[in-house]
Every structure is written in structure tokens, then in C-alpha cells.
Amino acid sequence: MTALSKKTAAAIGISLSAAITGCASTEADNASPPAASNNARSPSASDNAAEPSSSTYEDGEFEAEGRYGNLPSSIGVTVTLADDRITAVKVTPRATDETSLALQKRFAAAVPRLVVGKDIDSVRLDRVAGNSGTPKGFNDALAQIKAEASS
């Protein structure tokens, strides 16, 4: 093999390796919920600044049943609020079939790290832990909770 062919073969090998690695699933991917995405803004330094409290929502614990899908499907959502921030969240799966229940459980495990500490008005979930439907149920429940907490 000539020096040019060795360099070309090495470059092709590296490119293929990178492409395959980017598409491959690892044991770690299967052991924990997949990376989550949401449309909630990240808290900024100014969010932590000491400001006079002018809360829009009552402090306390609120529950709602979020509905989504054509059947419809649902999940239970419990949120604890303090100064308009979510201090705790619990998602209760309600699915009865095995596949949906597994998706809802993965979603429920991923949600706290996405929303706890955030202003409730900044939270709107999109695709989380491989779910695109369940976040719609969460957003529905959150809208109900906001309505209840603002009255």
C-alpha cells in the first residue's frame, strides 16, 4: 500500500467509525432515560437575584390529570410551588398497556431534573425520554395547575 492509500484508508476508517458511533446505542443509553429536551428556559443569574416577591401563583401543592392523544391517555401530575418556582414534581403513570406504561415511567423519571427549580411559566416540555405524547399530557396538567394556583 502506498503512503497516499494508507492515509486515505485511515481517513475513511475514522469517518466510518465516527458515523457508526454517532448512530449506535450503548448500554448506558438503555440503562437510563434518554437525553431529554424541553422548551423551558434555563435559570439565569438574574433569576437568583434577591427581588421583592411578586408571585403570580399561590404557594402550595397542586394536582391535575393531564390528557393527551386520541384514546385519550393520561398522567397524574403533582407540583409544589413556592414563589412561582416548581420546588417538587411527581408524575404518576396511568397507562394500562405495557408499552405505554414503560414510556410513561421513563418520562416520570426524567421530568424532575427538567423542571424543579424553574419558574412555572417557563416550563413547556417537548420530547422527553423518547416520548412525544406524554409531554403534551404534562403540559395540559401544568396549565390546569397554573389556573388553579392563580385563583
Side-chain angles (χ1 to χ4, degrees):
M1 215 184 242
T2 68
L4 183 56
S5 341
K6 286 180 183 177
K7 287 181 182 178
T8 304
I12 291 171
I14 291 169
S15 296
L16 285 174
S17 177
I20 290 169
T21 302
C23 295
S25 173
T26 65
E27 284 295 320
D29 289 339
N30 296 328
S32 63
S37 67
N38 70 36
N39 293 334
R41 68 176 180 83
S42 298
S44 65
S46 64
D47 288 340
N48 296 326
E51 297 176 4
S53 179
S54 59
S55 295
T56 305
Y57 304 100
E58 286 180 42
D59 290 352
E61 185 174 274
F62 302 89
E63 292 182 34
E65 191 78 14
R67 299 205 178 279
Y68 64 97
N70 297 332
L71 295 179
S73 297
S74 69
I75 57 169
V77 177
T78 303
V79 170
T80 304
L81 293 175
D83 295 325
D84 295 349
R85 293 204 174 275
I86 297 173
T87 60
V89 64
K90 180 180 179 190
V91 176
T92 306
R94 302 271 194 246
T96 55
D97 81 70
E98 209 172 294
T99 302
S100 295
L101 184 59
L103 287 168
Q104 285 186 356
K105 284 180 177 180
R106 286 175 47 195
F107 175 85
V111 166
R113 74 174 185 267
L114 298 173
V115 303
V116 170
K118 301 230 173 135
D119 184 297
I120 191 170
D121 283 329
S122 73
V123 175
R124 177 135 182 102
L125 299 182
D126 188 11
R127 186 171 179 86
V128 177
N131 286 273
S132 57
T134 311
K136 292 176 184 173
F138 180 85
N139 293 335
D140 177 56
L142 205 57
Q144 294 172 48
I145 288 168
K146 288 165 66 172
E148 180 183 345
S150 65
S151 41

